Amino acid sequence: LKSNPSNNEEKEAQTQLTKSDELQRLHSQALSAYQQEDYEAAISLLDEILAVCVWDAELRELRAECYIKEGEPSKAISDLKAAAKLKNDNTEAFYKISRIYYQLGDHELSLSEVRECLKLDQDHKQCFSLYKQVKKLNKQIESAEEFIREGRYEDAISKYESVMKTEPEVPVYATRAKERICHCLSKNQQPTEAIKVCTEVLQLEPTNVNALKDRAEAYLLEDLYEE
């Protein structure tokens, strides 16, 4: 304005300054809400700011944290992916994305994201530790599925039992392992055991189609047609 004063530009500048002041106020409120653990309010305020400041990586990371606290991990992934692109060498974002995918039971995507972290920093302790865990689990699951394709059901059951030992903390892996063990037992003409394991899965996930189909096959083997 000092170099080229004109009414139009002054009006525009004043408008932008007012908007800037308003965004700073919203930013302070968002941080305050986050510190008070009112994540829903923080998300709402950050939505307003990010509608204008689209390229702010740190605000996206903050909103991702709020989504995680609110139990909405898939929304957090979206913000963290943007933050990973917006900020150079953002190993932290890749690590967090990988952890979320892992907790959701998507070990393949988890492995892919943690590798991106290690490409940026091969000595990153958290990423390397997670990488070892996911790689081991991924290898066991791939091996078990290969046994199933070959009809080696006993070997597949043994391998899925190893999966449950490798990851006892994240329930989704135990449930998936039991679902596949139930499938193997049914295919291996072991109906009594299959019905037991399938029922365990269905107590956790009543609408699990695979477990329902495999239990139905096991009931057929036992001539339990009504069931």
Side-chain angles (χ1 to χ4, degrees), residues 5-20:
S6 79
N7 286 343
N8 282 349
E9 281 173 2
E10 186 168 355
K11 207 171 180 182
E12 170 69 10
Q14 288 300 339
T15 305
Q16 294 286 16
L17 270 174
T18 306
K19 191 187 279 185
S20 167

Side-chain angles (χ1 to χ4, degrees), residues 126-138:
Q126 287 176 307
C127 284
F128 187 66
S129 172
L130 180 61
Y131 171 71
K132 283 197 298 183
Q133 174 73 1
V134 186
K135 191 182 177 191
K136 182 180 178 183
L137 193 76
N138 198 54

Side-chain angles (χ1 to χ4, degrees), residues 8 26 52-53 57 68 72 75 80 88-89 93 110 131 142 160-162 166 196-197 199 211 223:
N8 282 349
L26 290 173
V52 182
C53 307
I68 290 166
E72 296 191 76
K75 288 184 179 177
L80 287 166
N88 284 340
D89 298 342
S110 175
Y131 171 71
E142 281 181 354
Y160 268 119
E161 282 167 351
S162 300
T166 298
K196 180 176 171 285
V197 178
T199 302
D223 299 334

Side-chain angles (χ1 to χ4, degrees), residues 70-81:
E70 282 288 286
E72 296 191 76
S74 50
K75 288 184 179 177
I77 286 172
S78 173
D79 267 340
L80 287 166
K81 283 194 168 180

Side-chain angles (χ1 to χ4, degrees), residues 20-38:
S20 167
D21 289 342
E22 171 67 4
L23 288 172
Q24 282 181 325
R25 188 180 65 77
L26 290 173
H27 186 214
S28 298
Q29 286 181 342
L31 287 173
S32 174
Y34 177 77
Q35 282 153 5
Q36 288 165 21
E37 298 181 13
D38 186 353

Side-chain angles (χ1 to χ4, degrees), residues 77 94 97-115 130-145 149 160 163 166-167 170 172-174 176-177 180:
I77 286 172
F94 284 117
I97 295 166
S98 178
R99 274 215 64 81
I100 292 170
Y101 276 135
Y102 187 72
Q103 295 291 328
L104 291 172
D106 199 327
H107 52 95
E108 288 171 335
L109 280 175
S110 175
L111 191 59
S112 166
E113 294 295 333
V114 80
R115 278 180 175 144
L130 180 61
Y131 171 71
K132 283 197 298 183
Q133 174 73 1
V134 186
K135 191 182 177 191
K136 182 180 178 183
L137 193 76
N138 198 54
K139 198 172 177 183
Q140 286 175 333
I141 292 170
E142 281 181 354
S143 177
E145 288 302 312
R149 283 191 289 276
Y160 268 119
V163 166
T166 298
E167 184 42 84
V170 184
V172 65
Y173 294 107
R176 288 291 156 270
R180 298 306 277 155

Side-chain angles (χ1 to χ4, degrees), residues 19 22-27 29-30 40-54 59 63 67:
K19 191 187 279 185
E22 171 67 4
L23 288 172
Q24 282 181 325
R25 188 180 65 77
L26 290 173
H27 186 214
Q29 286 181 342
E40 199 178 332
I43 289 166
S44 177
L45 291 158
L46 289 164
D47 287 347
E48 280 189 70
I49 305 167
L50 280 160
V52 182
C53 307
V54 184
L59 289 178
R63 188 168 67 176
Y67 281 136

